[in-house]
Amino acid sequence: MSARILVVDDIETNRRLLEARLTAEYFDVLMAEDGPSCLDLARSQKPDVILLDVMMPRMDGFETCRRLKADPATRHIPVVMVTALDQRSDRIRGLEAGADEFLTKPVDDVALFARVRSLLRLTSVMDELRQRESSGVEMSSFEPANGGGRVIVAAADQNAAQRIVKALPDTLDAQGYGDPRLAISQAEHADLIIVDLSAPRFDGLRLCARIRSDVDTRQVPLLGVVDEMDKRTMVRALDLGVNDVISRPLDPGELSARSSTQLKRKRYADALRDRLDESLEMSVRDALTGLFNRRYTVSRLRQALDGLNASHEPLAVGLIDIDHFKRINDTWGHNAGDQVLQEICTRLGGELRAIDVAGRYGGEEFLVVFSNTTAKEASDAMERARLAVCATPVTLRETGDVIDVTMSAGIAEAFMDDSVEALIERADTALYEAKRSGRNRVVEAKRKAA
């Protein structure tokens, strides 16, 4: 599906001209003649990028941009302001209104398409993160605190780097480097990297490509500094994945506005990624105990069984049950039961190896998958876990009551062509035998008849 571009201009000739250029590049084009129409179309059609004229009747581009960025339904849409105004104050005003770029008429096709492609890449990544993350986090919540952030500046030499550092707001923790190797070594810890692309003896584009190719730094925003007339470098930089460019001579106000936009975006993207990681973790973890949930644990057991024929390495499972757990709930309440489960799982975790997969199988039942382990070895490990569980009573946090806790466990070793169900059933049979014969013990399942 082609990207959808919304062109907003009160002059029809200008709209048609941009429509023809964009259509030739296989973009879908929507058009609006003023600010209110732009707002309505942005909400209803959700374009991927908005090209917004500044000088319009009823509502100018600055106010339209502010309203777009204030609306949760449209604030994520990149806005490129297109205008005949060429004063730096106008450019800063547009950036502060929330615009992602400011292009001057007559618009250069190469610059326009490079900008649109760059913004579309950004939109694609952010949209994917938002679709996967469901907590409703909004970008407006991630304004840089007091303008703060760690910025790395890379230039042809230390003096050139320091000149850029001095143009940045004092609230930023900015460090300049004249050696690209030093800049790369610090890039992983940066919130923003500014690279001087205008010096002939400094290959800033290669440095940008290196940063983008490294898994540890590819998410760090890049701001390139280019000569005003050097369209070729600007286009190459944007195509390499540089997030934004600023032209020389540097204006401190514009540099501050562009830096602030990139820092805010990074905080927002980082928050989305953190919440996505948290959501993925929650999808495989039991919320109460922190162990894996039943579905994940069984899936890991199924994978291990699938590889059993190829690896010929032993595989065993342990099924654990807390003894007289119903009595604990009935006597001290369910909150006490939850505390007991949490404490028992902590003790279990301290006795298991990193490669062992432990999960909550039921209410007070737990399943442990022992890779590359015989039934005898798994029984020995489970016995150590049993001793750790019963060695010290559990003390309730609220009341100080002390509860003696024991556990029973059944161990079964996998055979070739075993199914998950058959293996767990043998472990369950062994667990039942441990319960029947007095509890607080580990029983190994009988070998399968030949």
Side-chain angles (χ1 to χ4, degrees), residues 38 121 149-150 231 236 251 257 285 388 401:
C38 167
R121 285 194 295 270
R150 188 160 192 268
K231 296 288 192 297
R236 288 186 63 196
D251 179 273
R285 293 283 180 181
D401 289 337

Side-chain angles (χ1 to χ4, degrees), residues 232-250:
R232 181 172 177 271
T233 297
M234 182 202 75
V235 171
R236 288 186 63 196
L238 292 172
D239 285 344
L240 276 173
V242 172
N243 300 77
D244 194 9
V245 294
I246 183 172
S247 300
R248 287 189 179 278
L250 288 180

Side-chain angles (χ1 to χ4, degrees), residues 286-307:
D286 174 63
L288 176 65
T289 64
L291 298 181
F292 293 115
N293 58 29
R294 175 172 177 156
R295 181 177 62 181
Y296 180 80
T297 308
V298 171
S299 72
R300 288 291 301 271
L301 175 57
R302 183 169 285 109
Q303 290 174 0
L305 282 172
D306 289 343

Side-chain angles (χ1 to χ4, degrees), residues 204-224:
L205 289 173
R206 176 174 292 181
L207 176 61
C208 292
R210 167 67 186 278
I211 291 169
R212 276 291 168 265
S213 65
D214 192 324
V215 67
D216 293 326
T217 58
R218 64 180 50 160
Q219 306 298 343
V220 180
L222 285 167
L223 174 60

Side-chain angles (χ1 to χ4, degrees), residues 161-170 250-256:
Q162 286 304 122
R163 285 194 291 272
I164 298 176
V165 168
K166 289 180 179 178
L168 289 164
D170 293 337
L250 288 180
D251 179 273
E254 182 179 353
L255 181 61
S256 174

